[in-house]
């Protein structure tokens, strides 16, 4: 038997298919602190999200800033209620899945949980096998690395997967120039052989083995 809550293939987390979806996303770049990167998030004629712009490494006039050149998007935090901040419970899924079409830039996927340190992010490189074409990238939740303000933390704490608050994508590959990443959806996912961190035998396989 599958778990008490029943096996689930996927949990939709975020989408970028309409202007209504667009309103649920936040965008930022070094221009917010005086830099020169340009970043936008739009809906294409094909009803997919387009994260695009031009990355600049030029330093702002503020001499306290020694590095520049980043752009990022993330889903907005859902409004809190008397029960707390709504989050996604991804504990019954093994992978974070993204349907994307990108270029040859080095993007990162970011997950923020409802933890004590709000600046903590769990990050993983978004490896694209077929730049310029649509593909589904599946990243094991266990492979994400804990970071804070872009720095890998020496003490790695397991992700609080029951309380995922936001998900997003960032670019800071230290290469000036244009970038473009299309996003259709982001989901927590299982394959037919997984149920969270447990392995699973599909019902059809169990039946054939018995017979």
């Amino acid at each position: 038997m599958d778990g008490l809550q029943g096996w689930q293939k996927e949990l939709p987390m975020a989408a970028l298919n309409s202007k209504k979806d667009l309103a649920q996303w936040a965008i930022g770049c070094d221009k917010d602190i005086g830099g020169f990167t340009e970043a936008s998030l739009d809906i294409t004629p094909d009803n997919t999200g387009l994260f695009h712009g031009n990355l600049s490494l030029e330093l702002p006039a503020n001499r306290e800033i020694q590095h520049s050149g980043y752009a990022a998007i993330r889903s907005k935090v859902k409004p809190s209620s008397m029960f707390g901040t709504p989050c996604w419970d991804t504990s019954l899924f093994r992978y974070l899945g993204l349907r994307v079409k990108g270029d040859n830039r080095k993007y990162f996927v970011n997950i923020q949980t409802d933890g004590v340190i709000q600046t903590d992010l769990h990050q993983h490189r978004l490896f694209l096998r077929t730049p310029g074409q649509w593909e589904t990238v599946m990243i094991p939740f266990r492979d994400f690395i804990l970071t804070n303000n872009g720095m890998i933390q020496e003490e790695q704490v397991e992700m609080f997967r029951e309380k995922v608050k936001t998900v997003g994508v960032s670019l800071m590959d230290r290469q000036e120039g244009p970038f473009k990443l299309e996003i259709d959806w982001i989901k927590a996912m299982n394959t037919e052989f997984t149920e969270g961190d447990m392995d699973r035998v599909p019902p059809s396989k169990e039946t054939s083995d018995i017979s």
Side-chain angles (χ1 to χ4, degrees):
M1 294 180 61
D2 289 319
L4 295 177
Q5 297 186 38
W7 177 81
Q8 301 174 63
K9 179 180 179 181
E10 59 188 36
L11 170 68
M13 297 174 65
L16 271 166
N17 307 128
S18 67
K19 290 185 177 181
K20 183 178 179 181
D21 291 339
L22 204 63
Q24 304 304 312
W25 286 78
I27 182 169
C29 65
D30 60 66
K31 188 175 182 179
D32 301 332
I33 56 171
F36 299 92
T37 293
E38 298 285 345
S40 301
L41 183 60
D42 302 302
I43 297 296
T44 71
D46 296 324
N47 295 320
T48 56
L50 178 61
F51 174 42
H52 64 110
N54 190 82
L55 203 71
S56 172
L57 303 182
E58 184 178 351
L59 293 176
N62 185 348
R63 294 185 178 181
E64 293 182 2
I65 298 176
Q66 299 180 354
H67 300 284
S68 191
Y70 72 87
I73 57 172
R74 65 163 175 81
S75 58
K76 291 181 178 178
V77 178
K78 297 180 177 64
S80 298
S81 68
M82 61 182 297
F83 302 105
T85 302
C87 295
W88 294 290
D89 183 355
T90 64
S91 60
L92 296 179
F93 302 88
R94 186 170 296 187
Y95 304 96
L96 184 74
L98 304 93
R99 182 69 175 167
V100 295
K101 179 170 70 172
D103 49 24
N104 290 303
R105 305 295 294 256
K106 297 178 181 178
Y107 299 93
F108 278 84
V109 181
N110 307 313
I111 291 178
Q112 180 188 24
T113 64
D114 195 20
V116 176
I117 304 175
Q118 294 300 303
T119 52
D120 277 352
L121 281 180
H122 294 268
Q123 293 188 313
H124 194 283
R125 173 82 181 275
L126 179 62
F127 289 105
L128 301 178
R129 298 183 300 274
T130 57
Q133 301 179 37
W134 283 103
E135 58 184 294
T136 299
V137 180
M138 297 179 67
I139 306 170
F141 282 106
R142 282 187 173 273
D143 288 356
F144 279 80
I145 300 296
L146 177 63
T147 69
N148 187 286
N149 291 320
M151 302 295 292
I152 296 176
Q153 298 302 286
E154 184 174 339
E155 183 176 349
Q156 289 292 308
V157 179
E158 187 173 347
M159 186 190 303
F160 189 15
R161 284 159 56 181
E162 293 84 356
K163 290 282 188 178
V164 172
K165 190 160 63 173
T166 71
V167 62
V169 176
S170 60
L171 176 66
M172 52 182 75
D173 61 1
R174 307 296 297 165
Q175 296 184 34
E176 291 195 321
F179 64 90
K180 183 172 67 173
L181 178 71
E182 281 189 68
I183 303 172
D184 188 2
W185 48 254
I186 301 176
K187 303 175 181 179
M189 302 183 71
N190 280 314
T191 69
E192 62 176 333
F193 300 105
T194 68
E195 184 173 3
D197 291 332
M198 296 185 297
D199 294 328
R200 170 181 181 269
V201 178
S204 58
K205 177 67 174 176
E206 289 179 335
T207 303
S208 62
D209 288 345
I210 293 173
S211 60

